[in-house]
Amino acid sequence: MCSSDGCLNSLFDHHIRCDDCKRHFCHSCDKSIHFRLPFHKRIWLNTESSKVLDHTQFIKENGSVSKQEVPVPVFIPSAFQKYQSSSLSIAAGNDFCIVITANGRFDLSTALFCCNSCECTFDFTLDDCILSGFWPSVPDKFTFLCCSQLLTLWHHLKLLTPGTSEQKFLETISAMLVEGSRCPSIKTSMFARASQAHEFTRSLTDSRIKQMDTLSCRACIDERTGNPFLLSGHPDANHKLTRTDRKNERPARSWYGSEVIAGKELNISKSGRLIFLKVNMLSEEILRLKAVYDEAWSYLRYFCETPIFSESLLDVDESDDYDSDTDSENDEVV
């Protein structure tokens, strides 16, 4: 029997098992449910074999496989929430769209909002895309989208494991695509652009709303204080960041303004003052270590001056210096 509520279809000949829903569906319930949930892993089971279904493949009543364009799953815009949900539907648009999730790449279509009463259609916007958890690589184009959960995973991974390769991370995602018999190609440049936009919004949320310290490395903890080290003292942050003037360069605004790299006016921001304060603390620590070093060296000189060791080990004989000084004083008196 089909696991969908209210469905009485039998599952004797063939049915579809969803590993994400943890349920078994008939062909009609599978199409109605997973048309809006294309990221689920579905397996078609019959009496002879089994097959992993693509997100665009659905099973007919006679057991044959059909293909249908599937839109990007997005929320209904707030402007349409005043209408009844039965009068609104989401269909596949005419534009092609690549969506990257933690389960790999999905080739979908852009979402198209349709009103069943007046038969009007509206394309989804950038706000609808971001609110639904998808980040485009270019703000005015939706041909490449990255799931926010994947970008959040990459954010924590590169912070907690410094030196992690972005290319190898994408190759790991592509390896999962090969198992699902889907296209394993993921453009690194497109993913990097979407990741930069996601990182910038996280930085604004952490600094302006959550009032968090974004200058510390979460992977390096001071054993004495239990607090994380500043990024300025972390080896992965000690890169030489230069600012050059290029000929015919198009003026553009930096993602983080002057928070990371100081502007040409050389204004010292709050982050710069915190870094200078940390440098002063490190200078005091160096002076303390120098005092310990001088004390250790004095003990070494003491043991070298004992009769056990040869006097030639010392570069300077303090007794000779004392005698020469007294002789010079006696010469001046005479």
Side-chain angles (χ1 to χ4, degrees):
M1 194 70 66
C2 179
S3 301
S4 181
D5 297 336
C7 182
L8 301 178
N9 293 335
S10 61
L11 305 177
F12 294 113
D13 296 335
H14 58 84
H15 66 278
I16 296 91
R17 185 187 72 187
C18 179
D19 289 349
D20 294 278
C21 296
K22 308 301 180 186
R23 302 172 73 182
H24 297 263
F25 299 100
C26 63
H27 66 280
S28 59
C29 293
D30 172 70
K31 183 176 182 179
S32 61
I33 293 175
H34 290 104
F35 180 77
R36 295 292 307 275
L37 301 173
F39 305 138
H40 286 193
K41 182 179 179 181
R42 300 150 51 229
I43 302 176
W44 176 36
L45 302 174
N46 53 33
T47 56
E48 298 179 355
S49 62
S50 62
K51 177 184 178 181
V52 178
L53 295 176
D54 190 65
H55 50 278
T56 59
Q57 293 179 340
F58 297 95
I59 307 300
K60 294 183 179 180
E61 185 177 1
N62 57 3
S64 61
V65 180
S66 64
K67 297 196 68 174
Q68 182 178 354
E69 297 296 332
V70 178
V72 178
V74 294
F75 288 111
I76 296 178
S78 58
F80 297 96
Q81 291 181 358
K82 60 182 179 180
Y83 300 99
Q84 296 182 359
S85 59
S86 59
S87 62
L88 295 174
S89 61
I90 299 179
N94 298 324
D95 297 331
F96 179 74
C97 180
I98 298 175
V99 181
I100 308 298
T101 68
N103 294 327
R105 167 176 168 172
F106 295 85
D107 297 336
L108 304 176
S109 301
T110 56
L112 189 67
F113 300 104
C114 302
C115 180
N116 299 327
S117 300
C118 60
E119 298 182 355
C120 295
T121 58
F122 303 92
D123 295 328
F124 78 130
T125 61
L126 178 63
D127 295 339
D128 302 329
C129 184
I130 294 178
L131 289 176
S132 300
F134 301 103
W135 289 84
S137 58
V138 182
D140 55 349
K141 294 182 180 180
F142 308 111
T143 56
F144 187 91
L145 301 177
C146 287
C147 180
S148 60
Q149 295 180 353
L150 177 64
L151 296 176
T152 303
L153 174 63
W154 170 239
H155 168 77
H156 292 290
L157 181 64
K158 66 182 180 180
L159 284 181
L160 296 176
T161 56
T164 303
S165 172
E166 180 179 328
Q167 181 64 33
K168 293 301 179 181
F169 176 74
L170 294 179
E171 289 180 5
T172 304
I173 302 299
S174 300
M176 300 179 61
L177 294 173
V178 176
E179 294 185 359
S181 301
R182 299 197 306 271
C183 178
S185 175
I186 299 177
K187 291 185 178 181
T188 306
S189 58
M190 305 295 282
F191 177 82
R193 293 179 183 177
S195 178
Q196 290 173 0
H198 182 261
E199 288 283 344
F200 177 66
T201 55
R202 287 186 63 93
S203 177
L204 294 179
T205 304
D206 294 340
S207 60
R208 299 183 182 182
I209 299 178
K210 298 182 179 179
Q211 301 295 322
M212 295 176 57
D213 182 15
T214 58
L215 298 176
S216 301
C217 179
R218 295 165 51 191
C220 302
I221 305 299
D222 190 351
E223 296 180 356
R224 297 175 303 171
T225 62
N227 298 325
F229 286 106
L230 286 178
L231 289 176
S232 60
H234 194 280
D236 291 328
N238 290 336
H239 297 290
K240 184 178 181 181
L241 303 178
T242 59
R243 183 189 302 260
T244 58
D245 292 330
R246 299 180 181 178
K247 187 177 181 180
N248 300 327
E249 183 180 8
R250 184 176 62 181
R253 183 180 64 86
S254 173
W255 276 109
Y256 297 91
S258 298
E259 295 183 7
V260 178
I261 304 178
K264 294 183 178 180
E265 61 277 3
L266 298 179
N267 290 332
I268 300 177
S269 60
K270 179 182 178 181
S271 60
R273 290 193 294 269
L274 292 176
I275 293 175
F276 290 151
L277 179 61
K278 186 63 177 179
V279 170
N280 292 333
M281 295 174 60
L282 292 176
S283 300
E284 296 177 359
E285 184 69 16
I286 292 174
L287 293 177
R288 188 185 67 82
L289 293 176
K290 184 178 181 300
V292 176
Y293 171 81
D294 293 339
E295 184 178 0
W297 176 248
S298 63
Y299 281 112
L300 180 61
R301 287 181 61 90
Y302 171 77
F303 286 112
C304 289
E305 291 174 352
T306 57
I308 300 177
F309 298 92
S310 175
E311 294 181 357
S312 61
L313 295 177
L314 297 176
D315 295 336
V316 179
D317 192 348
E318 296 180 356
S319 61
D320 294 342
D321 294 340
Y322 177 77
D323 294 338
S324 61
D325 294 340
T326 53
D327 291 342
S328 59
E329 291 178 358
N330 294 332
D331 294 341
E332 290 179 359
V333 171
V334 173

